[in-house]
């Protein structure tokens, strides 16, 4: 960082908000990325519907955010007047929740007379590995990111703040969506991923033969719809009868292993497409799955790479990653003489491709 950029670091803590799906989250970070306080509320109004209901999620964010922000500030013993700027997820995600979270953040920033920084939710996941203490000796660019969650399954070359190349992605369901749907077929609760992993511990991952979609195909795209269909076919003979516990456990374990095998095979291809990578990072809610983590760690070791995955609390949606992405964006803007940032005019968007992020650093603004 040059001297000018160094002198234009935020001089106080920042507040970050995450509301892109069904997690209502707030965090306070110091200018160096140290987490001063964080809170996450996992909404409980969706279980009866077997998935996130956007309208319910948006209303819950609206009800929860004021007290959540107040409590997080109290946890950090921070007065609002000392904040340097406020950040919020502004896309991609469920538009209602994004409107609530970014609107709240913009209003608070305007009242305090400080900047608002819009954060791309996927970019926040991509940069989480660079948080202080996550990766020993840090996570320098470039690195390969596997983003696996309920809404995303992508291989991304992370080349710098704002600079990303999508190497491959899902052509149908995301991995997390497949976990949730298979869990529902097995009669498990929602969210399905953790429940399926718990049941799979009782089963044999080699007990039931299942397909490996796109196995050894060129590129690193993903497909899970065929695997879901195979599960439904295995269940068809039982009709509406209760599943034997051992059969259900074996099916869950076999499905989980099939997903891990497919993902690691795709990652091997992605690494062939990005030979300069020295680090493999897994992020997103499905990255919390222990079987998948172990498989990815083994693949990285076989390639002579380091492997990193955030702690479980930072794999799922959270505001810490939003605050860190905002700090990274602020520092990059300082390097390019583009401060101050103020994204008040940027509207929340349900789709916000990572490839668009470079544009915010293209035009240089003369120093004030």
């Amino acid at each position: 960082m040059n001297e000018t950029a160094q002198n234009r670091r935020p001089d106080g803590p920042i507040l970050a908000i995450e509301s892109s799906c069904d997690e209502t989250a707030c965090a306070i970070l110091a200018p160096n990325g140290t987490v001063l306080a964080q809170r996450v509320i996992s909404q409980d109004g969706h279980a009866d519907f077997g998935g996130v209901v956007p309208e319910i999620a948006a209303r819950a964010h609206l009800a929860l955010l004021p007290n959540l922000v107040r409590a997080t500030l109290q946890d950090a013993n921070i007065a609002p007047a000392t904040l340097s700027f406020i950040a919020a997820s502004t896309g991609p995600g469920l538009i209602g929740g994004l409107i609530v979270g970014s609107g709240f953040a913009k209003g608070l920033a305007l009242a305090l007379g400080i900047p608002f920084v819009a954060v791309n939710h996927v970019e926040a996941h991509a940069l989480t590995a660079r948080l202080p203490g996550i990766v020993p000796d840090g996570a320098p660019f470039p690195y390969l990111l596997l983003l696996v969650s309920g809404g995303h399954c992508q291989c991304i070359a992370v080349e710098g703040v704002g600079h990303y190349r999508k190497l491959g992605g899902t052509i149908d369901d995301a991995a997390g969506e497949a976990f949730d749907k298979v869990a529902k077929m097995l009669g498990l609760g929602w969210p399905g991923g953790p429940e399926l992993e718990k049941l799979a511990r009782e089963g044999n991952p080699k007990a039931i033969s299942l397909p490996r979609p796109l196995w050894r195909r060129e590129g690193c795209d993903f497909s899970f719809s065929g695997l879901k269909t195979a599960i439904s076919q295995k269940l068809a003979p039982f009709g509406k009868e209760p599943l034997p516990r051992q059969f259900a456990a074996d099916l869950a374990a076999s499905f989980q292993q099939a997903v891990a095998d497919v993902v690691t095979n795709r990652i091997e291809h992605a690494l062939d497409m990005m030979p300069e990578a020295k680090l493999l990072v897994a992020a997103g809610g499905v990255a919390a799955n222990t079987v998948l983590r172990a498989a990815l760690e083994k693949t990285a070791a076989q390639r002579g790479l380091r492997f990193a995955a955030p702690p479980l609390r930072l794999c799922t949606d959270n505001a810490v990653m939003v605050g860190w992405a905002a700090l990274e964006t602020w520092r990059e803007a300082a390097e390019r003489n583009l401060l101050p940032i103020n994204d008040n005019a940027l509207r929340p968007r349900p789709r916000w491709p990572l490839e668009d992020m470079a544009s915010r650093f293209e035009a240089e603004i003369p120093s004030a």
Side-chain angles (χ1 to χ4, degrees):
M1 183 175 293
N2 61 40
E3 185 176 354
T4 301
Q6 181 75 24
N7 292 340
R8 298 175 76 176
R9 282 183 173 181
D11 55 7
I14 70 157
L15 184 150
I17 290 171
E18 159 59 22
S19 62
S20 65
C21 193
D22 63 329
E23 308 285 350
T24 311
C26 181
I28 312 291
L29 274 66
N32 65 357
T34 300
V35 180
L36 303 178
Q38 62 172 313
R39 288 195 175 214
V40 180
I41 299 176
S42 297
Q43 299 174 8
D44 57 6
H46 307 278
D48 291 342
F49 301 95
V52 178
V53 181
E55 181 66 19
I56 292 176
R59 291 178 180 272
H61 290 309
L62 189 62
L64 293 169
L65 262 176
N67 286 335
L68 183 67
V69 170
R70 187 178 299 112
T72 310
L73 286 166
Q74 290 174 348
D75 290 345
N77 195 25
I78 294 294
T82 65
L83 294 171
S84 289
F85 63 81
I86 298 175
S89 292
T90 310
L94 300 179
I95 190 62
L98 294 170
I99 290 172
V100 171
S102 64
F104 184 96
K106 288 178 181 180
L108 184 56
L110 184 64
L112 295 171
I114 57 178
F116 165 73
V117 178
V119 172
N120 182 303
H121 176 85
V122 176
E123 183 175 33
H125 276 300
L127 296 174
T128 300
R130 289 171 53 81
L131 266 163
I134 298 295
V135 179
D137 301 323
F141 301 119
Y143 55 83
L144 175 64
L145 169 71
L146 169 67
L147 177 58
V148 277
S149 67
H152 304 279
C153 191
Q154 303 177 37
C155 293
I156 300 167
V158 182
E159 298 172 332
V161 177
H163 296 280
Y164 311 95
R165 285 187 297 121
K166 182 179 175 181
L167 304 178
T170 183
I171 59 178
D172 41 59
D173 295 343
E177 183 181 359
F179 266 94
D180 286 341
K181 289 181 177 178
V182 170
K184 186 176 182 180
M185 292 182 201
L186 294 173
L188 302 177
W190 185 89
E195 292 296 318
L196 189 145
E197 182 178 7
K198 181 179 178 182
L199 176 61
R201 295 191 190 108
E202 303 175 24
N204 176 1
K206 297 181 180 180
I208 299 172
S209 177
L210 292 172
R212 269 58 173 168
L214 300 184
W215 182 253
R216 295 178 178 171
R217 299 276 186 90
E218 289 187 5
C220 56
D221 286 333
F222 301 85
S223 173
F224 297 104
S225 62
L227 189 52
K228 280 191 325 181
T229 300
I231 294 291
S232 66
Q233 291 172 343
K234 299 292 184 183
L235 295 172
F238 294 91
K240 295 184 179 181
E241 295 295 321
L243 292 175
R245 179 75 178 185
Q246 190 58 54
F247 176 81
D250 287 344
L251 194 57
S254 298
F255 167 78
Q256 181 176 250
Q257 188 61 54
V259 172
D261 289 346
V262 167
V263 171
T264 51
N265 175 257
R266 303 286 82 199
I267 284 297
E268 289 175 354
H269 285 238
L271 290 169
D272 290 339
M273 299 166 68
M274 192 186 177
E276 68 274 21
K278 298 294 187 293
L279 172 69
L280 171 61
V281 174
V286 183
N289 183 280
T290 54
V291 171
L292 179 58
R293 278 198 184 213
L296 291 170
E297 191 167 11
K298 180 179 178 180
T299 298
Q302 290 172 340
R303 292 285 191 125
L305 304 179
R306 293 189 297 161
F307 172 75
L312 300 187
R313 69 182 186 280
L314 297 180
C315 281
T316 53
D317 294 346
N318 64 89
V320 172
M321 70 179 191
V322 174
W324 177 252
L327 281 170
E328 292 261 47
T329 298
W330 190 272
R331 290 168 182 166
E332 184 71 13
E335 287 278 8
R336 296 169 181 261
N337 200 31
L338 294 174
L339 291 180
I341 297 174
N342 202 334
D343 292 329
N344 272 320
L346 199 153
R347 296 179 180 179
R349 54 191 73 180
R351 301 182 186 278
W352 195 2
L354 277 180
E355 293 81 1
D356 292 354
M357 300 312 298
S359 62
R360 77 186 304 165
F361 302 120
E362 286 177 355
E364 290 204 351
I365 299 175
S367 178

